[in-house]
Amino acid sequence: EAGVAQSPRYKIIEKRQSVAFWCNPISGHATLYWYQQILGQGPKLLIQFQNNGVVDDSQLPKDRFSAERLKGVDSTLKIQPAKLEDSAVYLCASSLGLGEAFFGQGTRLTVV
Amino acid sequence: GEDVEQSLFLSVREGDSSVINCTYTDSSSTYLYWYKQEPGAGLQLLTYIFSNMDMKQDQRLTVLLNKKDKHLSLRIADTQTGDSAIYFCAGRPGGGGNKLTFGTGTQLKVEL
C-alpha cells in the first residue's frame, strides 16, 4: 500500500514570496490533515478535511494560509505571503474516518 | 484546548529499558497515542491506548495510563540503537472530530 506522498521535500523562499505544498493521501482515505511542525515543537494541526469539506481550520492563519482539497483526494496548502516564522516542516496525514492517521515525510520550508 | 507536556531528552544505554513520560490536561481524551519520528521522516504510530484502559503491552512496548494524574508513559524494553528518535505523545479529546494534540517530543538517545 502506497503511503502519503508529499512534494516538494524541501523549499527555500524569501519572505513575502508565496509557496505551495502538495499532498496525495492514501487511496480511499476520506480524512486529510495538514500539520505544521516548528523545530523543537510537536506538530500543530492547521486544517482537517473530510472528503472535500473542511472539518477544522481553527488554527489556520487565514490571512496568509489557504488550503483546498478539490475532488476529495489531493490537497494543496499555500502560504502567501510567507513570513520568517513560517519556517517549519509541513506534514500531511490521512486516515480512514477517525482511525489511525498515517503521515507523509513532510515538506521542510525555510523562509529567509 | 488540551496541553500535552513531555520532558525534552532521555539518554539510555543499549539493552536498558527506556521510560518516556507525558502529562496531559484534557481529562476527556478518549485515545492517547505514542508516535516515533526519525530524522527527516514523518511520524510513525507506535501504539495507542483507550482511556478506559490502564495498561497496554505490545512486544517491547508497554503503555501505562494513570487517568487520575493524567499521566501517560511509554516503556521500551531492551532499548536498541534503532530506537533513537523523537517520541511524541498525543491525545484526541472527546466530543468527536479527530484533532490530535501533540506534546513537544522527547528525544531518546541510545548509547552503546
Side-chain angles (χ1 to χ4, degrees):
Chain A
E1 178 182 81
V4 176
Q6 290 188 246
S7 68
R9 286 296 312 277
Y10 306 93
K11 189 75 177 178
I12 301 174
I13 62 171
E14 294 183 349
K15 59 183 178 184
R16 291 188 290 274
Q17 285 188 321
S18 61
V19 65
F21 313 126
W22 174 82
C23 172
N24 180 234
I26 293 173
S27 177
H29 281 194
T31 309
L32 185 146
Y33 317 80
W34 283 103
Y35 283 84
Q36 179 193 57
Q37 186 178 17
I38 293 172
L39 185 66
Q41 299 181 18
K44 180 185 82 172
L45 180 69
L46 291 176
I47 189 166
Q48 175 185 342
F49 291 94
Q50 181 74 18
N51 295 308
N52 60 352
V54 175
V55 173
D56 185 345
D57 63 357
S58 56
Q59 297 192 89
L60 186 74
K62 298 180 186 62
D63 58 333
R64 299 183 300 106
F65 285 65
S66 64
E68 60 183 11
R69 193 184 182 197
L70 300 176
K71 301 180 183 177
V73 182
D74 293 4
S75 176
T76 55
L77 176 70
K78 296 178 182 177
I79 308 175
Q80 181 179 16
K83 293 185 175 181
L84 295 176
E85 58 260 37
D86 298 331
S87 293
V89 176
Y90 290 85
L91 294 164
C92 178
S94 69
S95 67
L96 270 173
L98 300 183
E100 175 187 348
F102 293 85
F103 284 80
Q105 289 188 297
T107 296
R108 182 177 296 276
L109 173 68
T110 302
V111 183
V112 298
Chain B
E2 167 141 54
D3 283 328
V4 181
E5 293 188 1
Q6 300 178 238
S7 52
L8 292 179
F9 191 76
L10 176 66
S11 179
V12 299
R13 286 184 177 274
E14 188 177 40
D16 287 350
S17 293
S18 308
V19 179
I20 302 171
N21 296 302
C22 170
T23 57
Y24 59 97
T25 58
D26 189 342
S27 58
S28 68
S29 291
T30 52
Y31 295 86
L32 293 148
Y33 302 83
W34 283 104
Y35 281 85
K36 177 183 180 183
Q37 187 175 40
E38 295 180 88
L43 294 158
Q44 174 196 357
L45 179 66
L46 289 177
T47 186
Y48 63 92
I49 190 168
F50 295 113
S51 59
N52 62 357
M53 298 169 64
D54 298 324
M55 185 183 84
K56 180 180 180 181
Q57 187 153 3
D58 183 0
Q59 299 181 335
R60 292 191 298 122
L61 304 178
T62 303
V63 179
L64 295 177
L65 175 60
N66 181 328
K67 283 194 71 176
K68 175 177 173 289
D69 295 337
K70 297 178 192 168
H71 182 265
L72 181 73
S73 67
L74 173 69
R75 179 177 180 270
I76 306 173
D78 187 25
T79 312
Q80 302 297 307
T81 54
D83 295 324
S84 292
I86 301 176
Y87 290 80
F88 292 94
C89 67
R92 186 208 295 177
N98 198 30
K99 178 179 177 179
L100 287 172
T101 299
F102 286 85
T104 50
T106 298
Q107 181 162 2
L108 174 65
K109 182 179 178 182
V110 182
E111 299 174 328
L112 296 172

